[in-house]
Amino acid sequence: MRGLFGTPLLCTLLLSALAAPLALQAGNSSTSAAKHPPANVILFIGDGMDEHQITLARNYLLGANGTLAMEQLPVRSSAKVQTLREDDPTQYRYVADSANTASTLATGELTSMGRIATSAGDDRDLPTVLEAARQAGLATGLVTSANLTDATPAAFATHTAHRKCQNPGDMHKPINYVPATQQCLADHESQGGKGSIAEQLLASGVDVLLGGGKKEFTRIDSHTPLEKIAASHGYQLLQQREKLLAYHGNEPLLGLFASGHLPVEWIGEGNRRAEPMAFNLLGEPMFPTPFSCQQNPRHRGTPTLEEMTRVALERLADKSTGFFLMVEGASIDKQAHQRNPCGEIGELQAFDRAVAVGQAFASKQTNTLIIVTADHGQAGQIIPLPEYYQSWGGKQYPPGHYAVLETRSGELMGVSYATNAAPQGKSELHTGVNVPVFLQGIGHRQVPALIDQRTINQLMRQHLGLTSGAQ
Amino acid sequence: MRGLFGTPLLCTLLLSALAAPLALQAGNSSTSAAKHPPANVILFIGDGMDEHQITLARNYLLGANGTLAMEQLPVRSSAKVQTLREDDPTQYRYVADSANTASTLATGELTSMGRIATSAGDDRDLPTVLEAARQAGLATGLVTSANLTDATPAAFATHTAHRKCQNPGDMHKPINYVPATQQCLADHESQGGKGSIAEQLLASGVDVLLGGGKKEFTRIDSHTPLEKIAASHGYQLLQQREKLLAYHGNEPLLGLFASGHLPVEWIGEGNRRAEPMAFNLLGEPMFPTPFSCQQNPRHRGTPTLEEMTRVALERLADKSTGFFLMVEGASIDKQAHQRNPCGEIGELQAFDRAVAVGQAFASKQTNTLIIVTADHGQAGQIIPLPEYYQSWGGKQYPPGHYAVLETRSGELMGVSYATNAAPQGKSELHTGVNVPVFLQGIGHRQVPALIDQRTINQLMRQHLGLTSGAQ
């Protein structure tokens, strides 16, 4: 790895005496925990949340002078997103998916698209930071607004050749466009595999699992009530927001608050999304009218990411062992795929509120490293308003799907999705841009301006004392 | 201004004793310069160079594991791009142009699109950091790969209602889509104005002016040789690369190395750019074949941005007064407008080499603040490869202009431009994303993770001792 801590600063030198004892504090037994607070890591992953998606949400929510909670973390870096080719793992692709990038964040190793903590080409299981934390006696948790079996949470606690192996029923079905080396059958228990993602999660021993995807767990055994399946693995099953907020026991928690992904917080007025350009009889572009965002009535009764994060932090901190917690804002990405700027903005707001909960926690438990990042880029772009296209004359208009949002401060903002011409039902695609990294609790270390996603894994392991040597 | 220096760090406290004397060093007379080296600022502006444009150039040039020179600067932040509406300066637009953003970097004030260091709505001249540096006795310079009269350099040393007022002949022509308050006539000398940008630059007293745009200066007075016009303002005119590299005098320099913008360094193989999708007789998309980038033969004999930066630094450092230098990589933006990924990448490489010259200079003259940033976002996006669209089946393809580049490491990268459906002759448009900020020489200060372009101006003024109080 290239010089993780970059140019040495004078303050680094002056403070080096302080660094040595701190480096030993992580993973301590409870006796020494009295002297040094336990080391905690909270990794926030905004799925698809590149700088462009952040800017468009901030503009809508807070106007041109706003600052999100995540942007108030003291240190910023940017992470390269690296993806190996399954057919030749010495070569790279320049657009990733959530599976390979979450796998890199989780394991510190690069891999190919679709893979869940397994290696490109040869399908080795790659150990994760969550597993290492658990082995060291730390508490662990995964919180997401998607299915718990979705790629991002899955990559921290399970190992499969492909993200689609979510429940046992998935394992035999051939996956159409996926290479033979990534079909799910090899992961089936009958083939000596570890089983589907849902099965592996239940066996993972992760202390707190909160999200959606009830149907994936139900399919493990349709004859047995889900409570019983959960209990047989030591989990208390929670299925209602009220139960979650009222829970104060200390059993391992499996919270499943929707059949699939959790409903998103916001929708567009009249359910509007970005739309393809319409044309009048003269063939002239007719630009879409502006709209605002509103609450999604379907979200009512669903716990927010903020609420799930708060419960997870309480449960994990109670153990006083130190912990690793991953919190995913999953539907920033999913709503961008669907060209739904209001969905994206509402989910980014929900994610940012969860980050604020993490910051408040870290202000009390100071040995907490917070990293906020994304896994890969998304399609949304802020582009000019209709009046601008019209001022240039002729047939000038955005070639993709376009929305004009009226922001909270009453201004207009043009948003475009233009990575896929396919009409409805098909989705926009990821982009290959670097993703932002915000850090707090990194101490006196310098994080270089450009890192890669492996470095994020190393920073987390270091903070938890899970690696022996210096980088 | 919101807390510029963010969360205080322990090292800030420990080093605070050192801070006080350093804060007074800037703008010193030559007697005290012996004790404290003079304070220098080099501001590098990559026009249109957002994170996406940087990533696509890095991937092409250095592969998935590369790091550009600018990305080796020790501190990263990100700057909001803020644009007032000319028709109502209390309201914002969310997409900017190079004129209003360069004006903000130059003056520390927000303004409206098209404006050159004048205020939105009421057309007041806004004083610039370059002018303040000059008044304090510091040396000053502007280097660009565009016309010297183009918006970015212009905003540091001239004041006009609109960027199009480049030469006296421009001043009477009405500009079609521009509001009445931004027409150029009011800036004409006959109306008591300061004249065109070319005229104002000649009268600016800037010590080093290097770039293109000879025709704009010729139009000041077509009956007088350009050498004479330059000499009448005290400038030595240089028009050839060889003359520039051989020059070792200490007259003010006006280097004009092309009639318009300087030719770009790279073009696509066979002059290829991103192309609209073609379709076969069945209406199925035919994806473009890959191509690589090559040298542009038209660039031969043109000084590189690196060479111009080196000469400028030598000239300005010779004065031992401290200096302000702005270096613009102008055609990253211009080539993105033209959907020319090879042009973009070659210009970003040229810009990054100029940054490396600045870094080498700062390693010797340690009281040098380097800031590398962009003015606004651009259209280029890294999107999936044809094989990926094809694997999804059906009529899935990028809706804009698309190129598949074969990178230096032999991998393929898909690049899309999709902000404007207009075919040839019309251009892609800017985007509203935050822009990256890389810093070196900021000392022990903490720069927040999110700033705005006004803050960049304040950091430069502080470093040069051009503001009285603490921020």
Side-chain angles (χ1 to χ4, degrees), chain A residues 11 15 51 58 64-66 76 78 80 82 85 92 94 382 387 389 396-397 411 419-421 431-432 434 449, chain B residues 11 14 51 58 64-66 76 78 80 82 85 92 94 382 387 389 396-397 411 419-421 431-432 434 449:
Chain A
C11 64
L15 293 175
E51 274 284 270
R58 178 177 2 88
N65 290 297
R76 178 193 288 262
S78 179
K80 285 182 276 199
Q82 296 157 309
R85 290 188 71 103
Y92 290 85
Y94 290 106
I382 304 163
E387 59 184 288
Y389 285 94
Q396 302 202 40
Y397 57 86
E411 286 142 340
T419 59
N420 195 349
T431 68
N434 272 17
Chain B
C11 64
L14 289 177
E51 274 285 270
R58 177 177 4 86
N65 290 297
R76 178 192 288 262
S78 179
K80 284 182 276 199
Q82 296 157 309
R85 289 188 71 102
Y92 290 85
Y94 290 107
I382 304 164
E387 59 184 288
Y389 286 94
Q396 303 202 39
Y397 56 87
E411 286 143 339
T419 59
N420 195 349
T431 68
N434 271 18

Short mmCIF file of all heavy atoms in Angstrom, two decimals, chain A residues 11 15 51 58 64-66 76 78 80 82 85 92 94 382 387 389 396-397 411 419-421 431-432 434 449, chain B residues 11 14 51 58 64-66 76 78 80 82 85 92 94 382 387 389 396-397 411 419-421 431-432 434 449:
data_model
loop_
_atom_site.label_atom_id
_atom_site.label_comp_id
_atom_site.label_asym_id
_atom_site.label_seq_id
_atom_site.Cartn_x
_atom_site.Cartn_y
_atom_site.Cartn_z
N CYS A 11 2.66 18.59 13.48
CA CYS A 11 1.85 18.15 14.63
C CYS A 11 1.91 16.65 14.82
O CYS A 11 1.85 16.16 15.94
CB CYS A 11 0.41 18.63 14.51
SG CYS A 11 -0.48 17.95 13.12
N LEU A 15 3.02 15.04 18.33
CA LEU A 15 2.06 14.20 19.04
C LEU A 15 2.42 12.72 19.01
O LEU A 15 1.69 11.89 19.55
CB LEU A 15 0.66 14.38 18.44
CG LEU A 15 0.05 15.77 18.64
CD1 LEU A 15 -1.27 15.85 17.90
CD2 LEU A 15 -0.14 16.07 20.12
N GLU A 51 -20.53 12.70 -5.13
CA GLU A 51 -20.63 14.14 -4.86
C GLU A 51 -21.82 14.78 -5.57
O GLU A 51 -22.41 15.74 -5.07
CB GLU A 51 -19.35 14.85 -5.33
CG GLU A 51 -18.24 14.86 -4.32
CD GLU A 51 -18.48 15.87 -3.21
OE1 GLU A 51 -18.05 17.01 -3.35
OE2 GLU A 51 -19.08 15.46 -2.17
N ARG A 58 -28.45 18.30 -1.17
CA ARG A 58 -28.19 19.48 -0.33
C ARG A 58 -28.88 20.71 -0.89
O ARG A 58 -29.50 21.48 -0.16
CB ARG A 58 -26.69 19.71 -0.19
CG ARG A 58 -26.39 20.94 0.62
CD ARG A 58 -24.94 21.28 0.90
NE ARG A 58 -23.95 20.44 0.34
CZ ARG A 58 -23.43 20.62 -0.88
NH1 ARG A 58 -23.85 21.61 -1.64
NH2 ARG A 58 -22.48 19.80 -1.31
N ALA A 64 -28.48 26.87 -1.44
CA ALA A 64 -27.11 27.04 -1.96
C ALA A 64 -26.08 27.25 -0.86
O ALA A 64 -24.87 27.17 -1.12
CB ALA A 64 -27.07 28.22 -2.93
N ASN A 65 -26.54 27.55 0.36
CA ASN A 65 -25.58 27.81 1.44
C ASN A 65 -25.57 26.74 2.53
O ASN A 65 -24.96 26.93 3.58
CB ASN A 65 -25.87 29.18 2.07
CG ASN A 65 -25.53 30.30 1.11
OD1 ASN A 65 -24.37 30.46 0.74
ND2 ASN A 65 -26.53 31.04 0.67
N GLY A 66 -26.23 25.62 2.28
CA GLY A 66 -26.37 24.60 3.32
C GLY A 66 -25.15 23.70 3.46
O GLY A 66 -24.27 23.67 2.62
N ARG A 76 -11.93 15.17 4.99
CA ARG A 76 -12.46 14.64 3.74
C ARG A 76 -11.35 13.97 2.94
O ARG A 76 -10.24 14.49 2.85
CB ARG A 76 -13.07 15.75 2.89
CG ARG A 76 -13.60 15.26 1.53
CD ARG A 76 -13.92 16.40 0.59
NE ARG A 76 -15.10 17.12 0.99
CZ ARG A 76 -16.32 16.91 0.46
NH1 ARG A 76 -16.50 15.99 -0.47
NH2 ARG A 76 -17.35 17.64 0.86
N SER A 78 -11.19 11.11 -0.73
CA SER A 78 -11.96 10.61 -1.87
C SER A 78 -11.41 9.24 -2.20
O SER A 78 -10.20 9.03 -2.14
CB SER A 78 -11.79 11.58 -3.04
OG SER A 78 -12.50 11.14 -4.18
N LYS A 80 -11.00 5.90 -4.71
CA LYS A 80 -11.11 5.24 -6.00
C LYS A 80 -11.99 4.01 -5.87
O LYS A 80 -11.94 3.32 -4.84
CB LYS A 80 -9.74 4.80 -6.49
CG LYS A 80 -8.89 5.94 -6.99
CD LYS A 80 -7.56 5.44 -7.50
CE LYS A 80 -6.58 5.30 -6.37
NZ LYS A 80 -5.18 5.26 -6.82
N GLN A 82 -12.59 0.46 -7.41
CA GLN A 82 -11.84 -0.47 -8.26
C GLN A 82 -12.56 -1.80 -8.38
O GLN A 82 -12.98 -2.38 -7.37
CB GLN A 82 -10.44 -0.66 -7.68
CG GLN A 82 -9.62 0.63 -7.68
CD GLN A 82 -8.52 0.62 -6.65
OE1 GLN A 82 -8.76 0.33 -5.49
NE2 GLN A 82 -7.31 0.93 -7.08
N ARG A 85 -12.11 -7.69 -13.34
CA ARG A 85 -12.94 -8.46 -14.28
C ARG A 85 -12.99 -9.91 -13.81
O ARG A 85 -11.96 -10.49 -13.48
CB ARG A 85 -12.36 -8.41 -15.68
CG ARG A 85 -12.48 -7.04 -16.37
CD ARG A 85 -12.07 -7.15 -17.83
NE ARG A 85 -13.05 -7.89 -18.57
CZ ARG A 85 -13.98 -7.34 -19.38
NH1 ARG A 85 -14.00 -6.03 -19.55
NH2 ARG A 85 -14.85 -8.09 -20.00
N TYR A 92 -9.08 -4.41 -15.02
CA TYR A 92 -10.09 -3.66 -14.26
C TYR A 92 -11.27 -3.28 -15.15
O TYR A 92 -11.14 -3.10 -16.35
CB TYR A 92 -9.47 -2.37 -13.72
CG TYR A 92 -8.47 -2.61 -12.62
CD1 TYR A 92 -7.14 -2.90 -12.91
CD2 TYR A 92 -8.86 -2.56 -11.29
CE1 TYR A 92 -6.21 -3.13 -11.90
CE2 TYR A 92 -7.94 -2.79 -10.27
CZ TYR A 92 -6.62 -3.07 -10.58
OH TYR A 92 -5.72 -3.30 -9.58
N TYR A 94 -14.17 -0.09 -15.10
CA TYR A 94 -14.21 1.25 -14.53
C TYR A 94 -15.60 1.67 -14.03
O TYR A 94 -15.81 2.83 -13.68
CB TYR A 94 -13.57 2.26 -15.49
CG TYR A 94 -12.07 2.03 -15.56
CD1 TYR A 94 -11.46 1.44 -16.65
CD2 TYR A 94 -11.29 2.35 -14.46
CE1 TYR A 94 -10.09 1.20 -16.67
CE2 TYR A 94 -9.91 2.10 -14.47
CZ TYR A 94 -9.32 1.53 -15.58
OH TYR A 94 -7.97 1.28 -15.58
N ILE A 382 -26.99 17.48 -11.91
CA ILE A 382 -27.65 18.79 -11.92
C ILE A 382 -27.28 19.48 -13.23
O ILE A 382 -26.09 19.67 -13.50
CB ILE A 382 -27.19 19.65 -10.73
CG1 ILE A 382 -27.42 18.91 -9.42
CG2 ILE A 382 -27.90 21.01 -10.75
CD1 ILE A 382 -26.63 19.50 -8.26
N GLU A 387 -35.13 27.29 -19.21
CA GLU A 387 -34.91 28.63 -19.76
C GLU A 387 -33.52 28.76 -20.39
O GLU A 387 -33.32 29.52 -21.33
CB GLU A 387 -35.07 29.71 -18.66
CG GLU A 387 -34.14 29.52 -17.48
CD GLU A 387 -34.37 30.52 -16.33
OE1 GLU A 387 -34.02 31.69 -16.49
OE2 GLU A 387 -34.89 30.10 -15.27
N TYR A 389 -31.71 26.19 -21.84
CA TYR A 389 -31.75 25.50 -23.14
C TYR A 389 -32.46 26.37 -24.17
O TYR A 389 -32.03 26.50 -25.31
CB TYR A 389 -32.48 24.16 -23.02
CG TYR A 389 -31.67 23.08 -22.33
CD1 TYR A 389 -31.79 22.85 -20.96
CD2 TYR A 389 -30.77 22.31 -23.04
CE1 TYR A 389 -31.04 21.87 -20.33
CE2 TYR A 389 -30.02 21.32 -22.42
CZ TYR A 389 -30.15 21.11 -21.06
OH TYR A 389 -29.41 20.14 -20.45
N GLN A 396 -32.41 22.22 -28.60
CA GLN A 396 -31.49 21.88 -27.53
C GLN A 396 -32.30 21.49 -26.29
O GLN A 396 -33.14 22.25 -25.81
CB GLN A 396 -30.56 23.06 -27.25
CG GLN A 396 -29.81 23.44 -28.52
CD GLN A 396 -28.53 24.19 -28.26
OE1 GLN A 396 -27.79 23.89 -27.34
NE2 GLN A 396 -28.27 25.18 -29.08
N TYR A 397 -32.02 20.30 -25.80
CA TYR A 397 -32.74 19.76 -24.65
C TYR A 397 -31.94 18.57 -24.14
O TYR A 397 -31.10 18.02 -24.86
CB TYR A 397 -34.16 19.36 -25.05
CG TYR A 397 -34.21 18.36 -26.18
CD1 TYR A 397 -34.11 16.98 -25.94
CD2 TYR A 397 -34.31 18.78 -27.51
CE1 TYR A 397 -34.11 16.07 -26.98
CE2 TYR A 397 -34.30 17.87 -28.55
CZ TYR A 397 -34.20 16.52 -28.28
OH TYR A 397 -34.19 15.62 -29.31
N GLU A 411 -36.36 27.80 -5.22
CA GLU A 411 -35.60 27.94 -6.46
C GLU A 411 -35.83 26.72 -7.34
O GLU A 411 -36.35 25.70 -6.90
CB GLU A 411 -34.11 28.10 -6.13
CG GLU A 411 -33.82 29.48 -5.56
CD GLU A 411 -32.79 29.47 -4.46
OE1 GLU A 411 -32.57 28.41 -3.85
OE2 GLU A 411 -32.22 30.55 -4.19
N THR A 419 -27.97 7.73 -18.42
CA THR A 419 -27.02 6.64 -18.68
C THR A 419 -27.68 5.49 -19.43
O THR A 419 -26.99 4.56 -19.85
CB THR A 419 -26.45 6.07 -17.37
OG1 THR A 419 -27.54 5.59 -16.58
CG2 THR A 419 -25.69 7.12 -16.59
N ASN A 420 -29.00 5.53 -19.59
CA ASN A 420 -29.68 4.43 -20.26
C ASN A 420 -30.93 4.97 -20.95
O ASN A 420 -31.80 5.55 -20.30
CB ASN A 420 -30.06 3.33 -19.26
CG ASN A 420 -30.43 2.02 -19.94
OD1 ASN A 420 -30.61 1.98 -21.16
ND2 ASN A 420 -30.55 0.96 -19.16
N ALA A 421 -31.00 4.76 -22.27
CA ALA A 421 -32.14 5.26 -23.04
C ALA A 421 -33.38 4.41 -22.85
O ALA A 421 -34.47 4.82 -23.25
CB ALA A 421 -31.78 5.33 -24.52
N THR A 431 -22.21 4.97 -12.29
CA THR A 431 -21.11 5.63 -12.97
C THR A 431 -19.80 5.31 -12.24
O THR A 431 -19.82 4.75 -11.14
CB THR A 431 -21.30 7.16 -13.02
OG1 THR A 431 -21.19 7.67 -11.69
CG2 THR A 431 -22.65 7.54 -13.61
N GLY A 432 -18.68 5.68 -12.87
CA GLY A 432 -17.38 5.27 -12.38
C GLY A 432 -16.62 6.33 -11.61
O GLY A 432 -15.42 6.19 -11.39
N ASN A 434 -15.00 8.62 -8.66
CA ASN A 434 -14.55 8.51 -7.26
C ASN A 434 -15.70 8.79 -6.31
O ASN A 434 -16.58 9.58 -6.64
CB ASN A 434 -13.57 9.66 -6.95
CG ASN A 434 -12.15 9.36 -7.26
OD1 ASN A 434 -11.84 8.43 -8.00
ND2 ASN A 434 -11.28 10.17 -6.68
N ALA A 449 -5.37 12.77 0.28
CA ALA A 449 -6.49 13.33 -0.49
C ALA A 449 -7.15 12.28 -1.36
O ALA A 449 -8.33 12.36 -1.66
CB ALA A 449 -6.00 14.48 -1.35
N CYS B 11 -3.37 19.31 17.92
CA CYS B 11 -2.14 19.86 17.34
C CYS B 11 -2.26 21.35 17.07
O CYS B 11 -1.29 22.08 17.16
CB CYS B 11 -1.74 19.11 16.07
SG CYS B 11 -2.92 19.26 14.74
N LEU B 14 -1.35 22.90 20.32
CA LEU B 14 0.08 22.79 20.61
C LEU B 14 0.91 23.73 19.75
O LEU B 14 1.94 24.23 20.15
CB LEU B 14 0.56 21.35 20.37
CG LEU B 14 0.06 20.32 21.39
CD1 LEU B 14 0.55 18.93 21.00
CD2 LEU B 14 0.55 20.67 22.79
N GLU B 51 -14.81 15.95 -10.02
CA GLU B 51 -14.25 14.63 -9.68
C GLU B 51 -14.43 13.62 -10.81
O GLU B 51 -13.61 12.72 -10.98
CB GLU B 51 -14.96 14.08 -8.43
CG GLU B 51 -14.36 14.54 -7.13
CD GLU B 51 -13.05 13.83 -6.81
OE1 GLU B 51 -13.08 12.79 -6.15
OE2 GLU B 51 -11.99 14.36 -7.22
N ARG B 58 -7.61 10.16 -14.96
CA ARG B 58 -6.69 9.30 -14.20
C ARG B 58 -6.76 7.86 -14.67
O ARG B 58 -5.74 7.21 -14.87
CB ARG B 58 -6.97 9.40 -12.70
CG ARG B 58 -6.08 8.48 -11.90
CD ARG B 58 -6.19 8.52 -10.39
NE ARG B 58 -7.18 9.35 -9.81
CZ ARG B 58 -8.45 8.98 -9.61
NH1 ARG B 58 -8.87 7.78 -9.97
NH2 ARG B 58 -9.30 9.82 -9.03
N ALA B 64 -6.24 1.94 -12.87
CA ALA B 64 -7.10 1.91 -11.69
C ALA B 64 -6.36 2.18 -10.38
O ALA B 64 -6.99 2.41 -9.35
CB ALA B 64 -7.80 0.55 -11.60
N ASN B 65 -5.03 2.15 -10.43
CA ASN B 65 -4.27 2.36 -9.19
C ASN B 65 -3.47 3.65 -9.17
O ASN B 65 -2.63 3.84 -8.30
CB ASN B 65 -3.34 1.16 -8.95
CG ASN B 65 -4.12 -0.08 -8.58
OD1 ASN B 65 -4.78 -0.12 -7.56
ND2 ASN B 65 -4.10 -1.09 -9.45
N GLY B 66 -3.70 4.51 -10.14
CA GLY B 66 -2.89 5.72 -10.25
C GLY B 66 -3.29 6.84 -9.31
O GLY B 66 -4.37 6.81 -8.72
N ARG B 76 -7.59 17.80 1.25
CA ARG B 76 -8.69 17.89 0.29
C ARG B 76 -9.90 18.52 0.95
O ARG B 76 -10.24 18.20 2.09
CB ARG B 76 -9.08 16.50 -0.22
CG ARG B 76 -10.27 16.54 -1.18
CD ARG B 76 -10.83 15.16 -1.45
NE ARG B 76 -9.96 14.36 -2.28
CZ ARG B 76 -10.12 14.20 -3.60
NH1 ARG B 76 -11.10 14.81 -4.22
NH2 ARG B 76 -9.29 13.42 -4.26
N SER B 78 -13.92 20.34 -0.59
CA SER B 78 -14.83 20.37 -1.73
C SER B 78 -15.56 21.70 -1.65
O SER B 78 -15.93 22.15 -0.57
CB SER B 78 -15.80 19.19 -1.62
OG SER B 78 -16.72 19.20 -2.70
N LYS B 80 -18.65 24.30 -2.77
CA LYS B 80 -19.95 24.58 -3.37
C LYS B 80 -19.78 25.62 -4.47
O LYS B 80 -18.96 26.55 -4.34
CB LYS B 80 -20.91 25.14 -2.32
CG LYS B 80 -21.43 24.09 -1.39
CD LYS B 80 -22.42 24.66 -0.40
CE LYS B 80 -21.69 25.28 0.77
NZ LYS B 80 -22.56 25.45 1.95
N GLN B 82 -21.69 28.49 -6.33
CA GLN B 82 -22.90 29.29 -6.08
C GLN B 82 -23.04 30.40 -7.12
O GLN B 82 -22.08 31.12 -7.40
CB GLN B 82 -22.83 29.89 -4.67
CG GLN B 82 -22.83 28.80 -3.59
CD GLN B 82 -22.23 29.28 -2.30
OE1 GLN B 82 -21.13 29.82 -2.29
NE2 GLN B 82 -22.96 29.09 -1.22
N ARG B 85 -28.90 34.80 -9.48
CA ARG B 85 -29.66 35.14 -10.69
C ARG B 85 -29.49 36.62 -10.98
O ARG B 85 -29.62 37.46 -10.09
CB ARG B 85 -31.15 34.83 -10.50
CG ARG B 85 -31.49 33.34 -10.46
CD ARG B 85 -33.01 33.14 -10.48
NE ARG B 85 -33.53 33.48 -11.79
CZ ARG B 85 -33.88 32.56 -12.70
NH1 ARG B 85 -33.78 31.27 -12.44
NH2 ARG B 85 -34.33 32.94 -13.88
N TYR B 92 -30.80 31.84 -6.26
CA TYR B 92 -29.65 31.12 -6.82
C TYR B 92 -30.03 30.32 -8.05
O TYR B 92 -31.16 29.85 -8.18
CB TYR B 92 -29.08 30.14 -5.78
CG TYR B 92 -28.40 30.85 -4.62
CD1 TYR B 92 -29.14 31.29 -3.53
CD2 TYR B 92 -27.03 31.07 -4.64
CE1 TYR B 92 -28.53 31.95 -2.48
CE2 TYR B 92 -26.40 31.72 -3.59
CZ TYR B 92 -27.16 32.16 -2.51
OH TYR B 92 -26.54 32.81 -1.47
N TYR B 94 -28.48 26.75 -9.93
CA TYR B 94 -27.66 25.62 -9.48
C TYR B 94 -26.69 25.09 -10.53
O TYR B 94 -26.08 24.06 -10.34
CB TYR B 94 -28.57 24.54 -8.89
CG TYR B 94 -29.15 25.02 -7.56
CD1 TYR B 94 -30.48 25.40 -7.44
CD2 TYR B 94 -28.32 25.16 -6.46
CE1 TYR B 94 -30.98 25.89 -6.23
CE2 TYR B 94 -28.81 25.64 -5.25
CZ TYR B 94 -30.13 26.01 -5.14
OH TYR B 94 -30.61 26.49 -3.96
N ILE B 382 -18.23 8.49 -16.59
CA ILE B 382 -17.78 7.13 -16.88
C ILE B 382 -18.98 6.22 -16.69
O ILE B 382 -19.57 6.17 -15.60
CB ILE B 382 -16.66 6.70 -15.91
CG1 ILE B 382 -15.50 7.69 -15.97
CG2 ILE B 382 -16.17 5.28 -16.23
CD1 ILE B 382 -14.54 7.58 -14.79
N GLU B 387 -20.63 -4.19 -23.58
CA GLU B 387 -20.95 -5.56 -23.16
C GLU B 387 -21.96 -5.58 -22.00
O GLU B 387 -22.76 -6.51 -21.87
CB GLU B 387 -19.68 -6.32 -22.76
CG GLU B 387 -18.91 -5.67 -21.63
CD GLU B 387 -17.58 -6.39 -21.30
OE1 GLU B 387 -17.64 -7.49 -20.72
OE2 GLU B 387 -16.51 -5.82 -21.58
N TYR B 389 -24.36 -3.16 -21.36
CA TYR B 389 -25.69 -2.86 -21.90
C TYR B 389 -26.26 -4.08 -22.61
O TYR B 389 -27.43 -4.41 -22.47
CB TYR B 389 -25.60 -1.69 -22.89
CG TYR B 389 -25.41 -0.35 -22.24
CD1 TYR B 389 -24.14 0.20 -22.06
CD2 TYR B 389 -26.50 0.38 -21.78
CE1 TYR B 389 -23.96 1.43 -21.45
CE2 TYR B 389 -26.35 1.62 -21.17
CZ TYR B 389 -25.07 2.14 -21.01
OH TYR B 389 -24.91 3.35 -20.40
N GLN B 396 -31.17 -1.25 -24.76
CA GLN B 396 -30.52 -0.47 -23.71
C GLN B 396 -29.20 0.06 -24.24
O GLN B 396 -28.35 -0.70 -24.69
CB GLN B 396 -30.34 -1.34 -22.47
CG GLN B 396 -31.69 -1.89 -22.01
CD GLN B 396 -31.70 -2.29 -20.56
OE1 GLN B 396 -31.12 -1.64 -19.71
NE2 GLN B 396 -32.38 -3.38 -20.28
N TYR B 397 -29.06 1.37 -24.16
CA TYR B 397 -27.86 2.03 -24.68
C TYR B 397 -27.85 3.44 -24.11
O TYR B 397 -28.88 3.93 -23.65
CB TYR B 397 -27.87 2.05 -26.22
CG TYR B 397 -29.10 2.69 -26.80
CD1 TYR B 397 -29.17 4.08 -27.01
CD2 TYR B 397 -30.23 1.93 -27.11
CE1 TYR B 397 -30.32 4.67 -27.51
CE2 TYR B 397 -31.38 2.52 -27.61
CZ TYR B 397 -31.41 3.89 -27.82
OH TYR B 397 -32.56 4.48 -28.30
N GLU B 411 -7.13 -1.38 -20.96
CA GLU B 411 -8.50 -1.68 -20.53
C GLU B 411 -9.49 -0.78 -21.28
O GLU B 411 -9.09 0.21 -21.90
CB GLU B 411 -8.62 -1.46 -19.02
CG GLU B 411 -7.91 -2.59 -18.25
CD GLU B 411 -7.21 -2.11 -17.01
OE1 GLU B 411 -6.91 -0.91 -16.91
OE2 GLU B 411 -6.94 -2.96 -16.14
N THR B 419 -25.80 15.92 -21.69
CA THR B 419 -26.55 17.06 -21.15
C THR B 419 -27.27 17.84 -22.23
O THR B 419 -28.04 18.75 -21.93
CB THR B 419 -25.61 18.04 -20.42
OG1 THR B 419 -24.62 18.49 -21.35
CG2 THR B 419 -24.93 17.36 -19.23
N ASN B 420 -26.99 17.51 -23.50
CA ASN B 420 -27.61 18.25 -24.59
C ASN B 420 -27.76 17.33 -25.80
O ASN B 420 -26.78 16.78 -26.29
CB ASN B 420 -26.76 19.48 -24.96
CG ASN B 420 -27.53 20.48 -25.84
OD1 ASN B 420 -28.62 20.16 -26.33
ND2 ASN B 420 -26.97 21.66 -26.02
N ALA B 421 -29.01 17.19 -26.26
CA ALA B 421 -29.28 16.29 -27.37
C ALA B 421 -28.88 16.91 -28.71
O ALA B 421 -28.83 16.22 -29.72
CB ALA B 421 -30.76 15.93 -27.40
N THR B 431 -22.41 21.17 -15.42
CA THR B 431 -23.26 20.57 -14.39
C THR B 431 -23.05 21.31 -13.07
O THR B 431 -22.13 22.11 -12.93
CB THR B 431 -22.95 19.08 -14.19
OG1 THR B 431 -21.65 18.97 -13.61
CG2 THR B 431 -23.02 18.32 -15.51
N GLY B 432 -23.90 20.99 -12.09
CA GLY B 432 -23.94 21.76 -10.84
C GLY B 432 -23.25 21.10 -9.67
O GLY B 432 -23.44 21.53 -8.52
N ASN B 434 -20.58 19.97 -6.82
CA ASN B 434 -19.44 20.51 -6.06
C ASN B 434 -18.14 20.27 -6.82
O ASN B 434 -18.03 19.27 -7.52
CB ASN B 434 -19.24 19.68 -4.77
CG ASN B 434 -20.02 20.17 -3.62
OD1 ASN B 434 -20.98 20.92 -3.77
ND2 ASN B 434 -19.61 19.72 -2.43
N ALA B 449 -14.46 20.13 5.52
CA ALA B 449 -14.72 19.20 4.42
C ALA B 449 -15.53 19.85 3.31
O ALA B 449 -15.43 19.47 2.16
CB ALA B 449 -15.45 17.97 4.96
#
